[in-house]
């Protein structure tokens, strides 16, 4: 029996990490953790004010997510985390070497439309450009898959599960 991995559902704001993450966790039969819950209040205040986070703001947040992922090693789990830069993903891998990434990717217009219609989230649409400017897609040497975010949450989740299953070392 294969040891379950921790899957990090990543992407810019509005790609559906908070929607797809729990669905994927349920599909895989593992717990889900919402990455936004790991942010300290100062980060949420900053983003709510429309100010992009700097790397210094993100390190403690990434370390907290990495700690959760490390604690789930061998047990599996799914956590949402933008993980926009390679250095952020490297930091998560330093804490939990077996993490696998699902990069939710899509058309900027679609993502902006989704952000405009969601309610109760601290991330304003005004920060979407900074998210895309920061984004460094997964590289060939990173364990993970890119999944298109068009379609229903169920369709996206199914694509993610199939893509993960197709990875040579990640069959859940």
């Amino acid at each position: 029996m294969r040891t379950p991995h921790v899957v990090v559902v990543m992407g810019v704001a509005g790609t559906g990490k908070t929607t797809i993450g729990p669905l994927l966790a349920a599909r895989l039969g593992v717990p889900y953790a919402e990455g936004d819950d790991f942010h300290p209040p100062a980060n949420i205040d900053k983003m709510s004010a429309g100010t992009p986070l700097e790397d210094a703001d993100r390190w403690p947040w990434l370390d907290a997510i990495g700690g959760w992922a490390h604690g789930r090693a061998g047990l599996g789990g799914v956590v949402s985390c933008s993980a926009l830069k390679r250095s952020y993903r490297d930091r998560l891998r330093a804490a939990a070497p077996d993490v696998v990434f699902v990069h939710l990717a899509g058309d900027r217009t679609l993502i902006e439309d989704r952000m405009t219609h969601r309610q109760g989230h601290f991330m304003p649409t005004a920060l979407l450009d900074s998210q895309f400017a920061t984004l460094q897609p997964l590289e060939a040497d990173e364990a993970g898959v890119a999944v298109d975010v068009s379609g229903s949450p169920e369709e996206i989740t199914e694509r993610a599960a199939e893509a993960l299953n197709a990875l040579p070392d990640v069959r859940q």
Side-chain angles (χ1 to χ4, degrees):
M1 182 146 164
R2 196 167 245 218
T3 303
H5 289 270
V6 173
V7 177
V8 177
V9 178
M10 62 166 282
V12 300
T15 54
K17 296 181 296 291
T18 300
T19 300
I20 303 306
L23 292 173
L24 185 59
R27 173 86 159 55
L28 300 175
V30 296
Y32 170 73
E34 170 53 56
D36 287 341
D37 292 343
F38 293 88
H39 274 298
N43 283 8
I44 293 173
D45 291 346
K46 196 170 185 178
M47 289 182 284
S48 295
T51 305
L53 296 180
E54 298 175 10
D55 285 352
D57 301 315
R58 287 188 179 93
W59 298 136
W61 173 63
L62 290 166
D63 290 343
I65 293 170
W68 183 88
H70 177 78
R72 297 297 312 163
L75 303 171
V78 174
V79 62
S80 58
C81 173
S82 54
L84 298 178
K85 287 184 181 179
R86 170 71 187 244
S87 61
Y88 305 162
R89 297 187 297 272
D90 288 345
R91 192 158 183 133
L92 293 170
R93 273 190 295 273
D98 291 333
V99 296
V100 177
F101 295 89
V102 170
H103 176 191
L104 298 179
D107 176 72
R108 188 196 185 290
T109 304
L110 171 65
I111 294 167
E112 182 176 22
D113 181 62
R114 288 182 179 173
M115 283 184 78
T116 301
H117 291 96
R118 70 182 181 181
Q119 297 178 354
H121 197 278
F122 59 82
M123 178 68 88
T125 306
L127 290 180
L128 188 56
D129 286 333
S130 73
Q131 293 263 299
F132 272 105
T134 302
L135 176 63
Q136 296 171 343
L138 290 173
E139 296 179 26
D141 66 331
E142 294 184 271
V145 295
V147 176
D148 178 61
V149 297
S150 61
S152 71
E154 294 76 18
E155 291 168 330
I156 299 164
T157 301
E158 186 59 28
R159 281 196 297 270
E162 288 174 3
L164 285 170
N165 194 45
L167 288 175
D169 295 322
V170 185
R171 293 173 204 263
Q172 300 264 344

